[in-house]
Amino acid sequence: MNTKPVIVEETINAPVEKVWQAITDKEKMKQWYFNLDEFEPVTGFAFTFEGEGHKGEKYVHICKITEVTPHKKLQYSWQYEHHEGYSLVTFELVAESEQQTRVKVTHEGLDTFPQGNPDFAAESFTGGWNHLIRTSLKKFAENNQ
């Protein structure tokens, strides 16, 4: 089975620099993404964070940055402690104007995660990324300095 990647695109009414900071500054990320102890937008940098499943299960996410093009692209691996699977998350930013940024997030490799667990279903990732990008990141970037 080869699951299509989850792709979420949204135009945010904020300059690309501001959106870049929102996706790469750990203090800003904590306000819309996950609570990261450490994060640096540097290729090879490894980081972890905890997330919660549908029934309150705790999942430790293990990530490593694979590509950084400042103000344009951030990519990192996404795995789970104690679970099979390897996926990639890619943020791509395009300045549509001085005050608007197009954000595209692609999460691929979802079919490598354990099948039969609803927390690893494509629908779960689709819902999560839609909420994170279209609600949380959009609101944060548009309303915070």
Side-chain angles (χ1 to χ4, degrees):
M1 184 167 100
N2 192 1
T3 305
K4 291 181 181 177
V6 169
I7 299 172
V8 176
E9 293 187 69
E10 184 67 32
T11 297
I12 296 178
N13 295 313
V16 73
E17 169 68 30
K18 190 173 182 181
V19 177
W20 179 256
Q21 288 178 6
I23 67 168
T24 60
D25 178 303
K26 77 171 179 151
E27 295 307 318
K28 289 178 172 50
M29 293 169 78
K30 286 178 183 182
Q31 295 179 57
W32 72 271
Y33 192 52
F34 289 97
N35 187 10
L36 306 177
D37 289 331
E38 294 298 326
F39 186 88
E40 292 180 32
V42 176
T43 301
F45 184 83
F47 62 100
T48 63
F49 61 92
E50 193 172 271
E52 196 170 286
H54 290 90
K55 296 179 181 173
E57 306 90 335
K58 301 290 185 206
Y59 293 102
V60 175
H61 299 66
I62 302 168
C63 305
K64 184 184 254 187
I65 297 178
T66 56
E67 188 176 342
V68 178
T69 305
H71 305 107
K72 294 185 185 208
K73 186 174 184 180
L74 175 68
Q75 182 181 73
Y76 49 86
S77 63
W78 174 295
Q79 296 175 276
Y80 293 97
E81 186 176 69
H82 308 304
H83 295 282
E84 292 179 1
Y86 178 90
S87 65
L88 285 173
V89 173
T90 307
F91 284 81
E92 295 172 279
L93 306 181
V94 176
E96 292 193 334
S97 71
E98 284 188 23
Q99 294 301 316
Q100 282 194 321
T101 304
R102 185 84 179 151
V103 178
K104 179 180 179 183
V105 174
T106 304
H107 195 164
E108 56 191 316
L110 301 177
D111 55 330
T112 66
F113 294 127
Q115 302 302 300
N117 181 335
D119 291 332
F120 298 135
E123 296 78 22
S124 178
F125 287 101
T126 299
W129 284 116
N130 272 299
H131 174 76
L132 283 169
I133 303 307
R134 294 193 167 134
T135 303
S136 298
L137 175 60
K138 185 175 177 70
K139 186 184 290 185
F140 176 79
E142 290 180 354
N143 297 317
N144 292 285
Q145 297 304 324

